[in-house]
Amino acid sequence: KWLRRAAEYGGVEESNLDGLAAAASFTPREREVALLAVQGLTGREIAERLGISRRTVETHIANAYMKAGVHDRLGLVELLTG
């Protein structure tokens, strides 16, 4: 559902995430993981791409959600796409 929503808005611009990341005080890794997540990669794919564990990916995603004030990827996509 969230991936379809992102596609409806033409995807998520990296610059939109940069603004949110700065406003929400994302760490560089949270920003990196959030960008990959909203682009549609699974936790496993993100972990493999970044060379970290899936549990670490889940932690970064949870921190990003909390800082952005959303509860899931769809919320993050909607926040970034307006």
Side-chain angles (χ1 to χ4, degrees), residues 5-62:
R5 184 68 177 251
E8 288 173 7
Y9 288 105
V12 174
E13 294 290 326
E14 191 167 349
S15 60
N16 291 352
L17 184 62
D18 287 340
L20 174 64
S25 300
F26 283 10
T27 66
R29 189 60 116 182
E30 288 166 352
R31 181 203 169 283
E32 185 175 23
V33 169
L35 178 61
L36 294 172
V38 298
Q39 289 176 347
L41 274 70
T42 65
R44 175 177 282 161
E45 292 168 333
I46 295 168
E48 289 173 2
R49 181 173 290 190
L50 299 179
I52 58 179
S53 74
R54 275 184 26 199
R55 179 68 182 124
T56 301
V57 170
E58 292 169 7
T59 298
H60 288 310
I61 287 289

Side-chain angles (χ1 to χ4, degrees), residues 2 5 20 38 65 68-82:
W2 57 269
R5 184 68 177 251
L20 174 64
V38 298
Y65 291 166
V70 298
H71 300 287
D72 54 24
R73 289 184 191 206
L74 178 57
L76 195 57
V77 167
E78 288 177 341
L79 184 64
L80 294 171
T81 57

